[in-house]
């Protein structure tokens, strides 16, 4: 079993950005953790093929939480590769399926009226991005402590950034895939974008929770891999 980073570069307002979805390889089966923004499917496909794997081997997609930079291409992946099993927490699955309005959309709409004038355009764009996400049912709903991927991966509930956020602990690799429970900022694990955390105190507790696992490597969606 191994974890590979998939560095995905893109531009937003002429600035270069990069995200790091993780690819878990186990017995030649692939599991993708988070799917980037909408229209990122071909970019992620290209990265997977570039490192020598075939899309036919992509068996699972794990979604850490419902944010447009993490689930944007989920619907497209499932439409193109219908055999893929989608895995998410019970709470986040309600937003992914459209059963409930997402916390992030509620937050964005509530914040819009209070934004300074120079940020209103972005606020409206963000709301529209969230509204345009296509809903899809989740195949496997998981809770804290659940074992997946033949028991090799443990689900860690890491609420705060969103209520149903999960991270992934892989003991055999002494590693955690953090999602947005932590970001790598100047070779240090910190809370992701505190301004948008739905519960900052829980986010702090979740960061402590994954730090207390004392693993060797943290795979961060933002900032990339951190080896201690």
């Amino acid at each position: 079993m191994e974890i590979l980073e998939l560095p995905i570069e893109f531009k937003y307002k002429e600035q270069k950005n990069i995200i790091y979805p993780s690819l878990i390889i186990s017995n030649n089966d692939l599991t993708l953790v988070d799917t980037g923004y909408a229209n990122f499917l071909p970019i992620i496909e290209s990265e997977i093929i570039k490192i020598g794997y075939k899309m036919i081997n992509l068996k699972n997609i794990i979604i850490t939480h419902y944010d447009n930079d993490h689930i944007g291409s989920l619907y497209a992946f499932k439409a193109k590769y219908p055999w893929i099993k989608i895995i998410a927490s019970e709470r986040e699955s309600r937003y992914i399926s459209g059963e409930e309005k997402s916390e992030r959309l509620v937050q964005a709409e509530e914040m819009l009226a209070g934004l300074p004038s120079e940020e209103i355009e972005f606020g409206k764009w963000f709301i529209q991005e969230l509204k345009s996400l296509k809903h899809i049912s989740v195949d496997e709903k998981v809770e804290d402590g659940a074992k997946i991927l033949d028991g090799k991966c443990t689900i860690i509930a890491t609420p705060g950034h969103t209520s149903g956020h999960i991270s992934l602990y892989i003991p055999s690799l002494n590693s955690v895939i953090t999602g947005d429970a932590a970001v790598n900022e100047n070779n240090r694990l910190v809370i992701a974008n505190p301004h948008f955390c739905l519960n900052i105190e829980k986010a702090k507790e979740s960061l402590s929770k994954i730090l207390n696992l004392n693993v060797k490597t943290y795979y961060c969606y933002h900032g990339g891999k951190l080896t201690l």
Side-chain angles (χ1 to χ4, degrees):
M1 197 174 201
E2 65 177 317
I3 303 169
L4 297 177
E5 287 185 307
L6 301 176
I8 307 296
E9 292 190 19
F10 61 99
K11 278 190 176 181
Y12 175 70
K13 290 187 175 179
E14 301 307 309
Q15 285 193 327
K16 190 179 88 166
N17 287 271
I18 187 164
I19 55 173
Y20 297 88
S22 294
L23 190 69
I24 303 170
I25 300 103
S26 181
N27 299 324
N28 214 40
D29 287 343
L30 308 179
T31 297
L32 177 65
V33 184
D34 294 327
T35 66
Y37 289 95
N39 304 313
F40 273 33
L41 184 149
I43 308 171
I44 294 174
E45 277 180 328
S46 176
E47 287 298 316
I48 291 173
I49 292 165
K50 188 192 298 183
I51 58 177
Y53 291 94
K54 295 179 180 179
M55 297 306 295
I56 191 70
N57 297 118
L58 183 59
K59 305 300 184 186
N60 309 289
I61 292 178
I62 301 172
I63 296 297
T64 60
H65 66 292
Y66 191 96
D67 263 338
N68 63 322
D69 58 332
H70 291 255
I71 67 158
S73 289
L74 179 61
Y75 184 93
F77 268 99
K78 185 71 170 185
K80 187 169 183 179
Y81 306 111
W83 62 82
I84 291 173
K85 179 194 286 186
I86 299 173
I87 302 169
S89 72
E90 176 74 37
R91 182 67 176 265
E92 301 295 311
S93 70
R94 298 179 209 162
Y95 312 136
I96 295 168
S97 68
E99 182 183 340
E100 290 183 23
K101 188 176 184 178
S102 79
E103 296 172 301
R104 188 65 75 212
L105 179 54
V106 171
Q107 180 193 44
E109 289 175 338
E110 289 176 349
M111 290 176 67
L112 184 62
L115 289 177
S117 57
E118 65 272 15
E119 293 180 20
I120 287 176
E121 183 184 347
F122 172 80
K124 288 180 177 178
W125 170 85
F126 185 56
I127 288 168
Q128 190 52 47
E129 282 290 298
L130 290 169
K131 285 184 173 180
S132 68
L133 292 169
K134 293 184 178 180
H135 297 298
I136 190 166
S137 60
V138 171
D139 300 302
E140 183 176 349
K141 300 170 186 177
V142 293
E143 299 291 353
D144 188 42
K147 308 283 187 185
I148 60 171
L149 307 183
D150 298 323
K152 298 174 184 175
C153 176
T154 302
I155 300 296
I156 306 292
T158 46
H161 189 75
T162 65
S163 296
H165 191 291
I166 57 173
S167 302
L168 311 173
Y169 173 42
I170 303 177
S172 65
L173 299 177
N174 204 12
S175 297
V176 169
I177 298 173
T178 69
D180 279 0
V183 298
N184 179 359
E185 190 174 281
N186 300 317
N187 293 316
R188 189 166 72 92
L189 291 183
V190 299
I191 293 168
N193 207 341
H195 183 62
F196 284 100
C197 276
L198 289 164
N199 187 317
I200 191 68
E201 291 307 314
K202 284 189 176 180
K204 291 176 182 177
E205 290 171 10
S206 291
L207 178 60
S208 294
K209 186 177 183 179
I210 58 175
L211 284 171
N212 287 339
L213 290 169
N214 292 316
V215 300
K216 182 179 179 182
T217 307
Y218 292 89
Y219 290 84
C220 300
Y221 196 77
H222 301 286
K225 180 172 69 172
L226 175 62
T227 301
L228 301 178

